[in-house]
Amino acid sequence: MKSVSALLSCSLVLAFAGAAPAFASSSDWHAGQGGRIRLVTAGGADASGRMQGALEIALDPGWKTYWRDPGDSGVPPQIDISPSTNIQSISLAFPAPRHHDDGYGVWAGYDHSVSIPVTFTLAKPAAKALVEADVFLGICETICIPVQARLTVDPAKAPDNAADAELVKAAFAALPAPERADFKIKVLRGDHETLHVEAIAPGDPASVDFFVAGEKEYMFGPPKRREKDGEITFSVQILDRPTTAPGEGGLHYTLTSSEGAVAGLIPYP
């Protein structure tokens, strides 16, 4: 995609139009060029204060949107919940993407409508919560358009909305499964500039693909695939990295094949 930084100057013209909030278990749709978005919740929080939801991205035919790591010129879905009431934090999970080559570069994303699972954590589980979320993402046809919208949801207005609950349930069910012995990534010896992994996956070997998300100052190039003597490996150029590798956690990865997808964490290289 053409660099988003070159397009931000026109974001106010091309962003989704604002709309009045819909106080229900879902927000109003915010529509614009290429598609529309809304936030959906599945009702109230559990005893620990967690509340499930989904960012629904309905794309027009021919349009695409980004995975959690869009490469060096894209805009991944981001949700700022700081204007909200009684929402302490938020986490997003991502269904398995595909690699796309648009002539400007290779990037990971979706060429179909997609629901991004969201978990809200309430500061006070028993207290009322109001979601007021500033959403920012990119959708693309021949160029990428930065999208901005304020989405408002009052989960208590319709906590038993069966359609919303089913949409959220389906969004979480579509996530990659946890890695397992016959479907995972094995990190190989690499160097300061390249991440090397071996893919262990069932199904058609030709269908196997690997995605790694840069964070904590890491940035990666597109994976380069190699298959030899029954082994599938990927080499990923490390374009940028922190001075010192973080001590805890790891990098999110997704591995796909004709048999589905798994996701997990790999150590910081």
Side-chain angles (χ1 to χ4, degrees):
M1 296 298 158
K2 291 183 179 179
S3 172
V4 169
S5 62
L7 296 166
L8 286 174
S9 60
C10 62
S11 63
L12 293 178
V13 176
L14 296 172
F16 284 170
F23 294 104
S25 54
S26 63
S27 73
D28 281 341
W29 283 103
H30 288 246
Q33 185 179 4
R36 55 185 186 156
I37 61 172
R38 68 170 180 163
L39 266 177
V40 182
T41 63
D46 62 18
S48 63
R50 288 189 295 270
M51 180 175 67
Q52 291 187 330
L55 173 63
E56 190 175 4
I57 306 171
L59 297 173
D60 292 343
W63 288 76
K64 305 176 181 68
T65 194
Y66 292 105
W67 185 55
R68 66 164 73 239
D69 184 343
D72 62 356
S73 63
V75 180
Q78 302 167 52
I79 302 178
D80 175 12
I81 47 83
S82 57
S84 301
T85 301
N86 195 31
I87 304 293
Q88 177 174 287
S89 63
I90 186 175
S91 64
L92 277 63
F94 289 81
R98 291 179 51 200
H99 278 118
H100 302 273
D101 187 343
D102 57 18
Y104 298 100
V106 177
W107 55 278
Y110 312 96
D111 57 3
H112 54 79
S113 297
V114 63
S115 293
I116 307 297
V118 179
T119 301
F120 301 93
T121 300
L122 275 59
K124 298 179 180 179
K128 177 180 173 60
L130 179 66
V131 179
E132 293 189 77
D134 291 324
V135 178
F136 185 50
L137 68 151
I139 61 171
C140 318
E141 191 183 36
T142 54
I143 63 170
C144 279
I145 298 173
V147 172
Q148 299 177 93
R150 167 77 60 95
L151 303 179
T152 302
V153 185
D154 182 354
K157 280 289 184 178
D160 300 319
N161 187 308
D164 289 344
E166 187 59 33
L167 186 146
V168 172
K169 179 180 178 181
F172 277 87
L175 290 175
E179 61 184 13
R180 59 180 195 256
D182 67 334
F183 203 169
K184 65 178 183 178
I185 282 297
K186 178 182 178 182
V187 179
L188 305 175
R189 183 185 297 274
D191 54 46
H192 195 74
E193 298 179 349
T194 311
L195 170 68
H196 298 286
V197 300
E198 178 185 353
I200 301 169
D204 180 7
S207 69
V208 177
D209 205 355
F210 171 66
F211 306 83
V212 61
E215 56 184 344
K216 301 289 183 69
E217 299 183 50
Y218 283 94
M219 181 180 293
F220 297 97
K224 294 183 178 179
R225 187 182 190 277
R226 184 184 183 203
E227 185 175 351
K228 182 178 180 181
D229 300 329
E231 288 188 354
I232 301 171
T233 58
F234 292 89
S235 298
V236 188
Q237 185 180 5
I238 303 173
L239 302 176
D240 200 3
R241 61 185 304 144
T243 304
T244 304
E248 297 182 357
L251 297 168
H252 290 277
Y253 85 83
T254 297
L255 181 65
T256 63
S257 85
S258 58
E259 295 296 312
V262 295
L265 294 175
I266 58 176
Y268 295 109

